[in-house]
Amino acid sequence: MESEKKLSEMGVVKKQKIKEKFPYLVSKFNNDRDFKLFLIVGLFTGIASGINSTVFNNFLSDTYKLTASARGIVEFPRELPGVLIVIVLGILAFLGDIRIAIIGMIFAALGMLGLGLFSPSFASMLLWMMLLSLGTHIFMPLSAGIGMNLSENGNYGARLGRYSAYNLIATIVGYAIVWVGFKYFNLTYQIAFVLASVFYIFAAFFLGLMKSKKPKKKKVTLVFKKKYTLYYCLSVVNGARKQIFLTFAPWVLIQVYHVNPPTFAMLGFIIAILSIFTRTIVGNAIDKKGERFVLSLEAIVLIVICMGYSFADYLLSPSAAVVIIAACYVIDNSLSVVEMARSTYVKKIAICPEDVIPTLSAGTSFDHVIAMSIPFIGGILWTTMGYQYVFIVAAFIAVINLFLSLKIKIN
């Protein structure tokens, strides 16, 4: 017994000496292990979001027969958790980023389960949708912060790009489940939501295997500093433009061109094929070319996409117009990875490391304040003037986005 005790003590001393002698190597090993677990989390969240994004709009249309204006109104409760995210993260800050992310995944799982099994009425659906939204919005700023905290030598873009690529690979599985399920196995919306819920639970489990550090001191929950003003402005403009696309781009395909879930799954496959490599490419471009270049290029592409949505129906036959609009939908969704450039911009200009996640959270809240009102206005515009005018407004917003992006400077 005594010899075993001595051996054990020797082992502890040896580990301690290694830590003292090679702190960087120990830190790198722990970071690599946790980053691998984080990549697995990305796989499971990707499958869940792939299922949800493919069927949710068709679910609303087929189950509750919503008009365009009603669809716009739905975005208010769906985006409300995003506005409150700074407060929520502030209340939970004492837990540390990993534990808060676990809570977010559990909320997302419960929300998906409720949509699948406990949404007999429109009102009950809204409640479960808000819980799902709360979970995903909790995870949104944390995922970027966790990924960057697991980076070495400032390779933030490359790390986030790799995580994003794994996440995208997983969405292919989600699209495949929808395409095969609806086409060959009579998959229902309810079963699809329950499956997505299970994948969010898996994500929570693997987050639980990561090393969680409680903050050494109370975190600043709200960060409003003059230095971050441009980031806040970029967040607001991006939120306005993004919400128009998230709400009305699929709605055009569903309501005007009658696209069904299996077709959306096929579009998802195309998006995945197009994006699977560009996510890593964009990450590397951030590190080599900088955020100004990446965000400005995104804005220019978005202006062209908005023109495609606005004028395809006027200039082309219906069969050609749907191809152009579907192409715009694919390209727009492929650009979602550029979001990481706003995160790395904050990381690079941050006055101190503790500012990063609170600032990203504040940006998310600003993003969603505008995102709550834009769909309502867009729904009225669609009803009174036609969907084309919704995207003409989006083009003007993209121009503002370009102007702001060109102002980015990193010392």
Side-chain angles (χ1 to χ4, degrees):
M1 284 289 290
E2 239 180 85
S3 60
E4 285 180 10
K5 189 177 179 183
K6 282 182 181 179
L7 284 171
S8 176
E9 288 173 354
M10 284 172 65
V12 171
V13 171
K14 194 174 180 181
K15 284 180 182 177
Q16 188 61 37
K17 283 182 178 178
I18 291 171
K19 285 181 181 179
E20 290 172 0
K21 229 177 175 185
F22 307 103
Y24 171 75
L25 290 177
V26 173
S27 173
K28 190 175 188 304
F29 174 79
N30 288 335
N31 273 358
D32 284 347
R33 174 191 173 275
D34 282 348
F35 188 68
K36 286 173 183 175
L37 289 171
F38 194 52
L39 291 177
I40 296 172
V41 171
L43 290 175
F44 285 121
T45 56
I47 295 171
S49 64
I51 294 172
N52 181 42
S53 63
T54 307
V55 303
F56 183 69
N57 282 290
N58 287 92
F59 167 69
L60 292 179
S61 180
D62 293 344
T63 307
Y64 304 105
K65 313 299 180 188
L66 301 185
T67 62
S69 58
R71 177 65 186 90
I73 292 169
V74 166
E75 289 303 292
F76 185 92
R78 195 171 81 88
E79 297 298 341
L80 181 60
V83 176
L84 302 175
I85 197 64
V86 170
I87 298 171
V88 173
L89 291 179
I91 293 170
L92 299 175
F94 70 96
L95 293 172
D97 298 337
I98 302 295
R99 290 193 178 99
I100 300 173
I102 292 170
I103 291 172
M105 290 296 92
I106 291 171
F107 283 170
L110 291 174
M112 293 299 285
L113 193 66
L115 285 174
L117 300 179
F118 308 111
S119 297
S121 66
F122 183 70
S124 60
M125 182 277 295
L126 289 178
L127 292 174
W128 292 113
M129 179 191 68
M130 287 178 70
L131 185 60
L132 166 64
S133 179
L134 176 60
T136 55
H137 281 98
I138 285 173
F139 189 68
M140 194 183 299
L142 291 175
S143 62
I146 292 169
M148 288 187 288
N149 287 339
L150 296 173
S151 303
E152 296 103 15
N153 303 322
N155 61 337
Y156 308 126
R159 281 281 192 168
L160 290 183
R162 189 176 173 197
Y163 170 82
S164 191
Y166 272 65
N167 187 258
L168 180 61
I169 290 169
T171 61
I172 297 174
V173 179
Y175 299 146
I177 288 170
V178 172
W179 186 77
V180 174
F182 275 86
K183 201 165 181 67
Y184 299 107
F185 295 100
N186 296 317
L187 184 69
T188 63
Y189 293 122
Q190 289 71 24
I191 294 173
F193 287 138
V194 171
L195 283 173
S197 175
V198 171
F199 287 113
Y200 276 129
I201 291 294
F202 283 141
F205 173 77
F206 279 94
L207 278 167
L209 296 180
M210 294 173 64
K211 190 175 181 181
S212 180
K213 293 180 182 177
K214 285 192 177 182
K216 294 177 182 177
K217 60 180 181 178
K218 183 173 174 59
K219 285 192 173 184
V220 179
T221 56
L222 291 171
V223 173
F224 302 108
K225 295 180 180 177
K226 188 177 180 180
K227 187 171 184 180
Y228 308 139
T229 301
L230 180 57
Y231 168 69
Y232 301 141
C233 293
L234 284 167
S235 296
V236 169
V237 173
N238 180 64
R241 192 280 312 166
K242 180 181 68 179
Q243 205 57 41
I244 290 175
F245 280 67
L246 284 174
T247 306
F248 297 110
W251 209 246
V252 169
L253 291 169
I254 291 168
Q255 294 287 308
V256 179
Y257 296 102
H258 311 293
V259 173
N260 57 22
T263 306
F264 269 109
M266 286 303 299
L267 291 176
F269 283 130
I270 297 169
I271 292 166
I273 292 167
L274 184 64
S275 303
I276 199 165
F277 298 109
T278 59
R279 294 205 169 197
T280 301
I281 291 168
V282 168
N284 291 330
I286 291 169
D287 291 336
K288 292 176 183 177
K289 295 282 188 179
E291 288 77 4
R292 184 175 184 269
F293 172 84
V294 171
L295 290 174
S296 299
L297 185 60
E298 178 208 30
I300 293 168
V301 174
L302 288 173
I303 293 168
V304 175
I305 289 173
C306 290
M307 294 299 99
Y309 275 114
S310 301
F311 299 111
D313 197 40
Y314 285 125
L315 302 175
L316 303 168
S317 65
S319 57
V322 70
V323 172
I324 294 300
I325 290 173
C328 290
Y329 176 81
V330 167
I331 296 168
D332 173 49
N333 279 274
S334 301
L335 291 176
S336 62
V337 66
V338 178
E339 180 64 34
M340 76 170 80
R342 279 172 277 273
S343 300
T344 58
Y345 170 59
V346 172
K347 181 74 173 177
K348 290 177 183 178
I349 67 167
I351 297 168
C352 60
E354 290 75 21
D355 277 3
V356 175
I357 287 182
T359 303
L360 292 176
S361 303
T364 300
S365 288
F366 290 141
D367 173 321
H368 287 79
V369 166
I370 193 73
M372 288 171 62
S373 55
I374 283 289
F376 175 72
I377 298 168
I380 295 173
L381 198 60
W382 179 317
T383 303
T384 56
M385 300 181 71
Y387 76 84
Q388 294 88 350
Y389 289 89
V390 175
F391 293 99
I392 290 173
V393 171
F396 282 111
I397 295 171
V399 170
I400 298 171
N401 193 18
L402 175 60
F403 174 76
L404 292 171
S405 297
L406 289 171
K407 285 183 164 292
I408 289 175
K409 289 179 183 177
I410 298 172
N411 298 327

